[in-house]
Amino acid sequence: MSFIETRGNDGIKPSEVEFSYAILNPSASFGGLYIPKELPNFSQDFISECTKLSYKELAFLILKSFRVDIEDGDLETALNLYDAFDDVNNPSPVVKVKDNLFVNEQYHGPTRAFKDMALQPFGSVLSTIAKKRGENYLILAATSGDTGPAALNTFKNKEGIKVACLYPVGGTSDVQRLQMVTEDGENLKVIGINGDFDDAQNALKSLLASDTFKATLLEKHTKLSAANSVNFGRIIFQIVYHFWSYIELLRQNEIELGEKIYLTVPSGNFGNALGGYYAKKMGLPIEKILITSNANNVLTSWINDGVYDLNDKKLVLTKSPAMDILKSSNIERIMYDMFGSIRTKELMEDLNNKNCFTLTDEEKTKLQSEFSATFSDDAYGLKTIKTYLEDGYLMDPHTATCIKAYETLMEKSLKNVVYSTAEWTKFSPSVLNALRSDEVKYSDKEALEKISSDFNVKVPDMIHGLFDKEIKHTCEINIEDLESEIINFL
Ligand SMILES: *Cc1c(COP(=O)(O)O)cnc(C)c1O
């Protein structure tokens, strides 16, 4: 199956490419993204058969259905990385919390956030093809806190790969920062940016599109790619767990084959939600995808009002920092799918030039037939964490935003699978504030210990060990100095 471009073709880049090309060169014509030319379709019978499969087998099947040009053995090697998750048979368990509410816990991998679900196998696939081609790659990763640790973990010491990871100084939790700055590996460079996540992601996108930067890299025999969800290589692995959610509910006898369910996705760059949208188009019985945001609620107005307006919007730092983002990359892939490339190019140009685009009523209606949206502020999130722990379920602040959707957006009485995108251990000071209804400034170490002893929950070793690890990266710079900093590193 081939891949095409969201904003159409410029006559210079190839107009159709294979999977390997799309993941090695994620920037398409006119600054667009790669998308599959068509989606595979799975029948109900097929979904029923999937209940017999392991997570890895399901993932293999879904990747094969996209006819990716990756050898089977290399795919298997990549998928075997799921064996290192907490439960070797179930990397993302679906847990019943109450009534119609289920949680898909996506944080059981090495860096304790859902980014591992895709970045672990993606990193393996990308390094394998780079090695087979004898090519060197610089992988850029911009992070609001979870992509960075996951990308560093997956590419560490990989032959022919170097990683430059950009994070906003002060924009991540302490644990997230430590996960990055203590990561050793000759091939890793961690760079704190004086700015917010949008600044980091904008810098990444302009480097990806810059011919002069690419030419300088080529002098060093190095090519350029990215680990963010602009890369379709991440999205493809993010389709799998939505199928898994459904299959798990079937296995647990919570639904019957064909019964529709809601998915609720705490969203930022919209990669997680996009995976759900593709799963639905591939035949998974999904009623609707419910999207939650925090106080940075551009996605809420995009879906509810058809307006994406960044004028007068300023990013605010919240207790769910992985969703502190205003420019969401993957809505472009949704708009391509619904409105085509000519219109997508027009809308994205409006966003670039006027900081705003507006959908027609017809377009808005179409979008709302697939998605509903709401947002949760920190006060609501903290209250939710406390209430749910009193009933025995501990969740992180990102997961807590989903409860708002569960409580207010469901029009039908169907099962709802909420995505838990991070473990509480990554945001323990906020969680402790929630549990004690106070505003004390706890350190991560203190909060981890208190919650762990008060509520008898375990802190995994990889989090515990962070506080004794040596700091390897101290670089903090302004965006202007990014390019030279990266070149020096190479
Ligand atoms: C990245 C992230 C999100 C947002 O996911 P997108 O795919 O970018 O929408 C939500 N929660 C956590 C904890 C994350 O790390």
Side-chain angles (χ1 to χ4, degrees):
M1 185 171 312
S2 40
F3 289 79
I4 52 176
E5 306 164 288
T6 49
R7 301 186 199 179
N9 183 255
D10 63 8
I12 302 163
K13 288 189 196 280
S15 55
E16 282 193 32
V17 302
E18 291 297 321
F19 178 72
S20 62
Y21 183 97
I23 70 172
L24 292 171
N25 310 278
S27 185
S29 298
F30 310 113
L33 304 172
Y34 285 103
I35 58 278
K37 193 171 172 189
E38 62 216 8
L39 289 169
N41 204 284
F42 291 170
S43 68
Q44 299 292 303
D45 286 347
F46 179 86
I47 293 169
S48 165
E49 284 296 303
C50 287
T51 55
K52 301 184 186 126
L53 303 181
S54 70
Y55 191 91
K56 289 194 290 183
E57 288 164 340
L58 175 71
F60 186 81
L61 231 139
I62 289 178
L63 269 106
K64 292 301 278 185
S65 75
F66 278 86
R67 282 183 263 131
V68 296
D69 57 335
I70 308 293
E71 286 174 30
D72 288 1
D74 295 337
L75 279 183
E76 278 158 5
T77 304
L79 294 171
N80 283 340
L81 294 170
Y82 288 124
D83 292 348
F85 284 44
D86 290 345
D87 179 348
V88 68
N89 295 314
N90 195 347
S92 70
V94 179
V95 177
K96 180 165 186 163
V97 175
K98 63 175 189 189
D99 313 328
N100 279 346
L101 177 64
F102 296 79
V103 176
N104 182 326
E105 297 179 347
Q106 303 187 282
Y107 54 74
H108 290 282
T111 69
R112 315 316 282 173
F114 100 97
K115 301 297 193 288
D116 288 329
M117 295 301 301
L119 270 162
Q120 282 287 312
F122 166 75
S124 170
V125 165
L126 197 148
S127 346
T128 308
I129 49 183
K131 189 170 164 190
K132 282 193 170 162
R133 295 177 181 201
E135 292 175 341
N136 299 316
Y137 275 87
L138 170 68
I139 311 291
L140 296 177
T143 185
S144 57
D146 290 326
T147 294
L152 296 168
N153 180 290
T154 195
F155 288 117
K156 179 163 81 174
N157 298 328
K158 285 277 182 345
E159 200 180 311
I161 303 280
K162 287 200 163 92
V163 181
C165 169
L166 326 177
Y167 73 95
V169 174
T172 70
S173 80
D174 229 28
V175 162
Q176 290 175 317
R177 185 181 54 81
L178 285 174
Q179 284 181 316
M180 293 184 272
V181 299
T182 63
E183 190 66 275
D184 52 5
E186 285 289 301
N187 64 332
L188 309 177
K189 172 89 182 169
V190 178
I191 305 174
I193 295 287
N194 297 315
D196 56 33
F197 172 71
D198 284 311
D199 296 326
Q201 179 156 267
N202 282 341
L204 175 141
K205 283 186 187 163
S206 57
L207 286 179
L208 271 186
S210 160
D211 290 331
T212 52
F213 184 62
K214 281 185 214 160
T216 318
L217 292 188
L218 272 189
E219 287 166 19
K220 299 177 186 297
H221 308 286
T222 300
K223 293 180 164 183
L224 184 64
S225 186
N228 285 70
S229 55
V230 294
N231 198 315
F232 194 82
R234 267 185 58 185
I235 302 299
I236 199 165
F237 289 104
Q238 293 184 193
I239 296 170
V240 180
Y241 52 69
H242 296 290
F243 277 89
W244 190 249
S245 292
Y246 195 85
I247 288 163
E248 275 290 295
L249 291 190
L250 281 174
R251 279 199 270 237
Q252 295 172 21
N253 291 319
E254 292 287 354
I255 53 171
E256 285 174 14
L257 187 62
E259 187 176 330
K260 289 191 174 173
I261 62 169
Y262 286 103
L263 303 178
T264 301
V265 187
S267 296
N269 246 337
F270 220 75
N272 202 350
L274 176 69
Y277 173 79
Y278 284 148
K280 180 170 189 245
K281 292 205 71 177
M282 287 162 69
L284 200 64
I286 294 168
E287 173 69 19
K288 243 184 185 186
I289 303 174
L290 311 182
I291 301 300
T292 58
S293 305
N294 60 26
N296 297 293
N297 57 2
V298 277
L299 291 170
T300 320
S301 19
W302 174 56
I303 292 166
N304 292 350
D305 313 323
V307 179
Y308 202 93
D309 190 355
L310 300 180
N311 293 303
D312 314 319
K313 275 258 158 66
K314 218 176 141 26
L315 193 101
V316 291
L317 298 181
T318 70
K319 303 275 187 198
S320 43
M323 294 149 74
D324 289 348
I325 150 174
L326 293 176
K327 260 196 174 176
S328 178
S329 301
N330 281 300
I331 63 167
E332 174 165 355
R333 288 187 163 116
I334 300 284
M335 295 196 294
Y336 166 81
D337 201 74
M338 292 186 174
F339 319 135
S341 64
I342 293 172
R343 179 65 174 151
T344 302
K345 182 162 179 276
E346 196 173 271
L347 291 166
M348 296 314 292
E349 280 172 357
D350 279 353
L351 187 62
N352 276 342
N353 301 334
K354 300 185 234 158
N355 253 335
C356 175
F357 68 73
T358 308
L359 303 179
T360 63
D361 282 346
E362 201 182 316
E363 289 167 342
K364 186 176 76 178
T365 305
K366 197 159 182 191
L367 185 62
Q368 291 174 348
S369 69
E370 303 285 343
F371 299 100
S372 297
T374 187
F375 70 100
S376 150
D377 60 19
D378 283 344
Y380 182 94
L382 295 182
K383 200 178 75 203
T384 301
I385 292 173
K386 186 170 160 67
T387 319
Y388 275 77
L389 184 58
E390 281 161 6
D391 290 338
Y393 193 79
L394 178 55
M395 65 178 75
D396 100 295
H398 302 80
T399 315
T401 65
C402 295
I403 301 303
K404 183 79 175 276
Y406 174 71
E407 286 173 352
T408 62
L409 290 183
M410 288 165 64
E411 287 159 1
K412 298 186 185 165
S413 172
L414 301 171
K415 305 280 188 303
N416 187 341
V417 178
V418 153
Y419 285 91
S420 182
T421 46
E423 188 176 54
W424 68 274
T425 55
K426 291 190 101 166
F427 308 96
S428 58
S430 303
V431 173
L432 190 58
N433 287 143
L435 301 180
R436 295 191 167 175
S437 310
D438 67 15
E439 286 171 22
V440 177
K441 230 178 154 2
Y442 299 105
S443 72
D444 281 54
K445 202 169 180 196
E446 190 183 9
L448 284 165
E449 278 163 12
K450 293 239 161 74
I451 297 171
S452 160
S453 65
D454 288 4
F455 299 94
N456 198 20
V457 282
K458 202 180 164 300
V459 177
D461 294 341
M462 59 282 249
I463 297 287
H464 212 64
L466 280 176
F467 298 93
D468 302 322
K469 280 177 88 175
E470 191 189 335
I471 307 274
K472 300 276 183 192
H473 305 270
T474 53
C475 173
E476 291 184 5
I477 59 168
N478 294 328
I479 297 274
E480 308 84 85
D481 302 324
L482 180 63
E483 191 164 334
S484 59
E485 190 69 40
I486 295 179
I487 305 249
N488 281 340
F489 159 61
L490 295 178

